[in-house]
Amino acid sequence: MLEGLKSALGSFYNKSEKRIKFIAFLTAIILSAAALMGCTIKSFVINDGTNTYTVSAPFANVDFALSRANLRSKNYKVLKVSGSDVKIAYLFPVHIVMGDKTLTVNTTTNSSVEEILKSAGYTPDEHDMVEPALDTKVSDTIYIDYTDVNYITGTYKETIPSRTETVYSPKYNEGVQKLTEGSDGLQEISYTSKVVNGKTVETTINRKVVLTAAVNAKKIIGTKLSAVITSASVKYISTLIPKKPIDLDKNGNPVNYKKKMKVEATAYTYTGNNCATGVAPQPGYIAVNPKIIPYGTKMYIKSSDGRYIYGYAIAADTGGFIRTRPTNVDLFFSSKSECRAFGRRNVEIYFLK
């Protein structure tokens, strides 16, 4: 009997019939044989949303039924199994583009863009940019442009570098230099970084808090001129003598003084009257505008051209010149001839400490 069956099958298969008829015929024989042998026959109804396929076989299961059904594509997903009813959906590729990377995933008809992204491990939020929109239903292969945008906040500490300042000081002699040490400071910086597709594209500084202020180093350069001589060794016009000789530098200028003025000076001599402050006039008592140079101010005066060293002087008198030349001074000389020789010239006034 078996030899006859083999001969019949061989003859049938060699004919130019479609293979599907052979499979159906073979299945019918197997079912008949199974029935004769008392085997259990199982039937499964497979629905792909459009067509229905029925597969029957002894001891069949879902996987066997799916492998034997003449489905349109082997790329599918089982959606539901209810007894012998099997519901499937065909899969098609969708491409997710993130910057310079492309990820391809398989999905089913009517899946939303958001569902596809989540199946790929992405969770879009309000900062992300997605095209097409998240609620778009997908029914065919498309490209989804997904830009993952995150804002990350944090803090870090940063050194505040100290600097070296140059300071000129009259406390130290000219040419003397001193250096004080400085120290760096520390500040805490709060920031927000914009991260696009895993790469930081922008960082904004929100706040800076100084934890420790920087202390600048100082390079101190002395400006105090060292005395070379004193007024005691200089011949000058004034007959007034200071309580202590005035230290002068190599140019004949006072070393220690509060301020310096350059003004125009004239000359006057005896008039028969005392000075405005009541003292008898003599070389060294000079006339001033007391609103600018108060009476009693002690000075050291020399002409700007260096020809006259008037010397130690005290503001003791005033005159009519202050109406037209309020910043001028009038220097007292012993004779008219000295006044005429002096005439009118610029002088440097050093206000003594």
Side-chain angles (χ1 to χ4, degrees):
M1 178 180 176
L2 290 177
E3 291 299 325
L5 180 59
K6 288 180 181 180
S7 177
L9 289 175
S11 175
F12 180 80
Y13 187 70
N14 287 331
K15 293 181 180 179
S16 58
E17 298 290 337
K18 292 182 179 179
R19 190 179 180 190
I20 187 61
K21 291 183 178 181
F22 173 74
I23 294 173
F25 175 72
L26 182 60
T27 301
I29 294 175
I30 293 172
L31 291 176
S32 299
L36 291 173
M37 297 172 62
C39 296
T40 302
I41 305 299
K42 288 188 176 182
S43 296
F44 288 89
V45 179
I46 303 170
N47 187 295
D48 64 4
T50 302
N51 300 315
T52 299
Y53 307 89
T54 301
V55 177
S56 299
F59 307 109
N61 56 25
V62 173
D63 292 337
F64 179 84
L66 289 170
S67 67
R68 293 297 183 269
N70 188 28
L71 302 176
R72 295 203 317 265
S73 170
K74 295 300 181 181
N75 195 14
Y76 59 84
K77 177 182 180 180
V78 177
L79 300 179
K80 184 178 180 181
V81 177
S82 178
S84 61
D85 293 327
V86 180
K87 187 175 182 180
I88 68 169
Y90 294 109
L91 298 173
F92 55 88
V94 172
H95 309 292
I96 302 172
V97 180
M98 286 185 61
D100 56 359
K101 297 180 181 179
T102 300
L103 175 66
T104 300
V105 296
N106 290 320
T107 189
T108 59
T109 301
N110 289 328
S111 294
S112 68
V113 169
E114 184 174 16
E115 290 170 339
I116 294 170
L117 289 173
K118 287 183 177 180
S119 70
Y122 303 124
T123 306
D125 59 28
E126 69 274 13
H127 302 301
D128 296 341
M129 294 180 288
V130 183
E131 178 63 34
L134 291 173
D135 58 356
T136 302
K137 296 295 184 178
V138 178
S139 59
D140 202 352
T141 297
I142 63 168
Y143 282 85
I144 299 174
D145 289 321
Y146 175 51
T147 303
D148 182 28
V149 181
N150 292 292
Y151 290 90
I152 300 174
T153 59
T155 60
Y156 63 90
K157 290 181 173 60
E158 182 179 75
T159 297
I160 305 173
S162 62
R163 300 180 294 105
T164 299
E165 300 178 72
T166 299
V167 179
Y168 296 92
S169 173
K171 293 182 179 180
Y172 302 100
N173 290 333
E174 185 180 26
V176 173
Q177 294 188 9
K178 292 184 177 291
L179 184 65
T180 63
E181 291 186 1
S183 60
D184 293 340
L186 187 67
Q187 63 183 348
E188 184 176 75
I189 298 177
S190 302
Y191 68 91
T192 299
S193 291
K194 182 179 180 180
V195 181
V196 177
N197 293 337
K199 296 180 180 180
T200 300
V201 297
E202 180 183 335
T203 296
T204 302
I205 301 301
N206 302 323
R207 188 178 62 166
K208 294 182 178 181
V209 178
V210 176
L211 304 177
T212 306
V215 177
N216 291 334
K218 291 183 179 181
K219 181 181 180 181
I220 303 173
I221 299 176
T223 59
K224 179 179 178 181
L225 298 175
S226 301
V228 176
I229 57 175
T230 68
S231 59
S233 60
V234 175
K235 184 178 180 179
Y236 50 79
I237 297 168
S238 174
T239 58
L240 301 179
I241 300 175
K243 291 182 179 180
K244 181 181 178 182
I246 301 168
D247 291 331
L248 305 175
D249 63 20
K250 61 184 179 181
N251 297 314
N253 302 323
V255 172
N256 299 310
Y257 58 90
K258 291 186 291 186
K259 68 176 182 177
K260 174 184 174 181
M261 285 179 59
K262 187 175 182 179
V263 300
E264 187 180 69
T266 52
Y268 77 109
T269 189
Y270 295 103
T271 63
N273 300 314
N274 284 341
C275 296
T277 58
V279 298
Q282 70 178 85
Y285 288 133
I286 68 170
V288 298
N289 181 350
K291 292 183 179 179
I292 296 177
I293 303 176
Y295 291 138
T297 299
K298 297 176 176 60
M299 298 160 278
Y300 188 88
I301 302 173
K302 56 182 291 190
S303 66
S304 297
D305 59 13
R307 294 182 60 186
Y308 283 84
I309 307 298
Y310 194 76
Y312 181 61
I314 297 176
D317 203 358
T318 188
F321 69 89
I322 65 174
R323 294 189 184 94
T324 57
R325 305 189 307 276
T327 61
N328 281 24
V329 296
D330 216 357
L331 307 182
F332 189 90
F333 285 84
S334 297
S335 66
K336 289 183 179 180
S337 61
E338 290 177 304
C339 291
R340 285 193 294 270
F342 182 81
R344 179 180 294 177
R345 67 186 65 223
N346 291 329
V347 297
E348 295 174 355
I349 300 178
Y350 296 86
F351 294 87
L352 304 176
K353 294 182 179 180

